[in-house]
Structures are given as structure tokens and as C-alpha cells.
Amino acid sequence: MAERSNDVYDVSNLIGEINNLEGTSVAPDLNDIIELIRSEDVKIITFTGAGISTSAGIPDFRSENGLYNIIKSKFDMPNPELIFDFDYFKKDPKLFYCIAKQFIEVEYLPTKTHCFLKLLHNKKLLLRNFTQNVDGLDSKVGLSNKVNIECHGHFKTGHCLSCSKKYSYEEMKAEISNHDYITCNIENCRGLVKPDIVLFGESLPKTVFENLSKISEANLIIIMGSSLRVMPFNQFINFAKKETPYLIINNEDPLGGMALYSGKKYLLQLPCDEGIKKICELLNWTSELEEIYSQFH
Ligand code: CNA
């Protein structure tokens, strides 16, 4: 079940039995990571969040220009996360659909960071990408369903909450252009239709749990564009072996200087696309990255 965590970030949820966090260094020197990516047996797991899609024009949740602040001011709502709560959605779906409309109607394009994921995938270095994003850009860039685990679902399909009738993306797009929210078109049903994204209070898709064991096979974890505030996603990283190094690419340190576990922490505190450009330069992958990017832009 996806849960809101409190605004105060409680890192103890993530660290299990690890208690000596103070000494874990944040190393600005990326050479170790570059060497590891170059090595023959590298196996990478990525964890991604809304920050990898902001450069595509999609606001995240918690940044200054993010959805939470937009909702607070637009709808005068002190608890903007309510809009993404399943019980609230069932009572009043209009506000959710005001926000969801843009995910259904606007054709967003993959960013350099999505292209980097595709590059890792092409090179068979990516074991799995666990994403919190619902924008579908990781699959649009070409990650296979096997590799790309959409932990919070997607807008590609929807279902009626009453009779379970499935709706395609095209059907939802047509409906939402004329209505405040989508209802089932079966005469005797008229139930509420919800895109197949996971709202707060709903279970995560089965495929997430089927793939968690892969995380312990990784010898490099890369976390990009997430505040790591949403449970249980933020706890999945705990499935990594405790010696596995992890690289965080984010415009702030989501851990506030703390560590996730005893593996070495590398923080590249930059916009994701900038961090990716830097890594690709060091790996001599720039032209391959640009080639993928040019397929979309
Ligand atoms: P969040 O809590 O909003 O955190 C985003 C993080 O990324 C923050 O630490 C930001 O500082 C950082 N950030 C923002 N832009 C950039 C950038 N260009 N470069 C580097 N860092 C950046 O979002 P999370 O993903 O952590 O939270 C999970 C929620 C957000 C999930 O339930 C998602 O479904 C939900 N969400 C998804 C989308 C999407 O699909 N694109 C958009 C908005 C919200």
C-alpha cells in the first residue's frame, strides 16, 4: 500500500539495522563509479522519481514550482496530497482529473535522463528501473516492460471502479476532453473510471514485488530525481546488498547528508540532465546519448 510519509523525513524507515551513518562520505569524485560502469560485470538498478521528468515540462510534487504548491494556490487546499488519495478520489474525482488531464492530454517527450536509462538498457547494464513516475516516459524511450517497473502505475489504461471495464488511453483522452471526470459508458454501470495509476492508499502492482529480489543482484544503485519521501518505494532500496555503492543524482540531497545504508554514497547535486551529461562525457558515451535523444527531439 502506498503511504504518505510525514513531512519530516524519517530516515530510520530506510536503514534497518545500520546505525553508523555519520562516517559515510559523500564523494564528489565520480571516478569509482565510472570505473564500475566500465567494468564487465556491472549490474545496475535505477530508482527514479518526478525530478527526471521536470525538464520535459512535467512538474514534480515537492519543488517550489511543483504540483503541491500549484494545488495549494489554485484550489486553496492546505493538504494538496489529498488529491492523490484513493478515498478522496472516490468522493470527489474532479480535482484529481484537473491535474491528471495534463498527463492524458499532453504529449511529453523523454529527457536526456530517460535517454541515459535507454543507453544502459541497450548496453545490457540495466537490471531494472524502478520508477515512481506515472508519465510513461521510461517506456516511451524504449525500456522493455521486463526492465521498467512502474511502481505507481501509468496512464496508458484505466478501469471502472464498479464493473472493472478496461479503458484505453485513447478512450480516456476522448472522454476527459469533454468532461470533468470519466464515468463508465456501460448503461447500467456509470461507475467512476480511474487511470491505472496507484493513488495513496492503494496497493502497488504485483510486478513490483515480483522484481524486488533483483535489487540484491546489483553492484551499483543509481537514484535520480526523487525526494525519497514516498513509502514503500523509499524502502525498496533496502533490498540492495549493504556494500553496494549508490549514486544519487538530484538537485538537492534527499537524505539531508545522511546515508541510506553502509555502501558508499555518491551525490551528484545537479539537475539530472546535467549529471547525466557529465557521466556520459566521462564514459565517452555522449554521441550515443545524443543519438537516442535526437530520435525524440
Ligand atoms: P518529489 O517528492 O516531488 O521529489 C522530486 C525530487 O526531484 C526533489 O528532490 C526535487 O528537488 C528533485 N528535482 C526536481 N527537478 C529536478 C531536476 N531537474 N534535476 C534533479 N532533481 C530534480 O517526487 P518523487 O518522485 O520523489 O515522489 C514520488 C511521487 C511523485 C510519485 O508518487 C509520483 O507518482 C509523483 N509524481 C510523478 C510525476 C511524473 O510521473 N512525472 C510528476 C509529479 C509527481
Side-chain angles (χ1 to χ4, degrees):
M1 183 176 282
E3 285 176 29
R4 272 183 309 278
S5 55
N6 293 331
D7 245 353
V8 179
Y9 179 61
D10 181 5
V11 80
S12 63
N13 284 325
L14 307 177
I15 57 177
E17 71 279 12
I18 304 300
N19 47 31
N20 179 21
L21 301 174
E22 297 278 311
T24 308
S25 65
V26 175
D29 182 354
L30 288 171
N31 285 337
D32 299 357
I33 297 280
I34 299 302
E35 282 313 306
L36 188 53
I37 297 178
R38 280 205 183 111
S39 69
E40 267 176 31
D41 65 341
V42 67
K43 296 188 191 96
I44 301 174
I45 294 274
T46 48
F47 292 94
T48 56
I52 75 164
S53 296
T54 51
S55 63
I58 309 173
D60 64 5
F61 268 171
R62 294 180 177 80
S63 292
E64 208 178 319
N65 301 322
L67 286 176
Y68 282 171
N69 280 336
I70 294 172
I71 293 165
K72 266 190 203 165
S73 57
K74 197 168 168 185
F75 304 119
D76 194 22
M77 268 184 98
N79 303 321
E81 65 275 20
L82 258 190
I83 287 195
F84 305 100
D85 184 279
F86 189 43
D87 288 334
Y88 188 86
F89 172 78
K90 286 184 280 189
K91 277 186 234 140
D92 181 3
K94 277 193 208 149
L95 292 185
F96 166 80
Y97 268 109
C98 269
I99 301 295
K101 224 172 160 51
Q102 67 172 339
F103 284 95
I104 301 174
E105 290 185 333
V106 183
E107 177 98 7
Y108 293 108
L109 298 174
T111 65
K112 290 245 158 104
T113 306
H114 295 102
C115 296
F116 176 68
L117 293 171
K118 173 67 170 145
L119 190 50
L120 292 177
H121 185 40
N122 289 352
K123 290 177 180 289
K124 303 198 182 340
L125 307 181
L126 185 62
L127 277 184
R128 293 292 182 269
N129 172 48
F130 288 86
T131 184
Q132 295 169 95
N133 293 346
V134 293
D135 54 35
L137 290 180
D138 318 67
S139 57
K140 192 174 222 170
V141 82
L143 299 190
S144 69
N145 284 344
K146 185 179 163 209
V147 165
N148 188 37
I149 311 300
E150 294 177 308
C151 300
H152 294 168
H154 53 75
F155 280 95
K156 287 168 253 176
T157 50
H159 280 84
C160 170
L161 295 180
S162 300
C163 74
S164 302
K165 182 182 170 188
K166 185 174 175 178
Y167 285 83
S168 68
Y169 168 77
E170 288 72 23
E171 287 171 306
M172 292 194 293
K173 190 172 176 176
E175 273 301 297
I176 201 58
S177 63
N178 303 317
H179 298 96
D180 289 341
Y181 55 92
I182 306 174
T183 49
C184 186
N185 56 17
I186 292 180
E187 193 65 35
N188 297 326
C189 179
R190 301 289 178 208
L192 184 56
V193 174
K194 184 181 80 63
D196 289 337
I197 66 162
V198 178
L199 294 175
F200 291 127
E202 286 192 284
S203 301
L204 269 53
K206 207 168 80 193
T207 174
V208 175
F209 301 99
E210 288 166 351
N211 282 281
L212 288 179
S213 63
K214 281 278 158 197
I215 299 171
S216 64
E217 290 178 30
N219 47 23
L220 175 60
I221 300 285
I222 305 181
I223 303 164
M224 298 186 281
S226 177
S227 64
L228 296 178
R229 297 252 193 124
V230 174
M231 295 191 291
F233 185 92
N234 61 9
Q235 303 190 357
F236 296 158
I237 306 165
N238 261 339
F239 282 79
K241 287 195 294 289
K242 295 305 174 201
E243 66 273 19
T244 307
Y246 59 102
L247 167 65
I248 298 178
I249 309 177
N250 211 65
N251 59 12
E252 61 175 13
D253 181 357
L255 303 174
M258 302 284 275
L260 278 172
Y261 54 82
S262 52
K264 198 164 179 183
K265 169 184 168 182
Y266 295 82
L267 175 67
L268 197 48
Q269 198 165 336
L270 286 174
C272 289
D273 295 344
E274 293 299 314
I276 290 309
K277 269 199 249 169
K278 195 170 176 148
I279 287 175
C280 285
E281 273 163 30
L282 291 167
L283 287 163
N284 280 329
W285 288 2
T286 303
S287 59
E288 289 166 273
L289 182 77
E290 292 301 331
E291 197 182 316
I292 297 173
Y293 190 72
S294 69
Q295 291 164 19
F296 298 95
H297 295 268

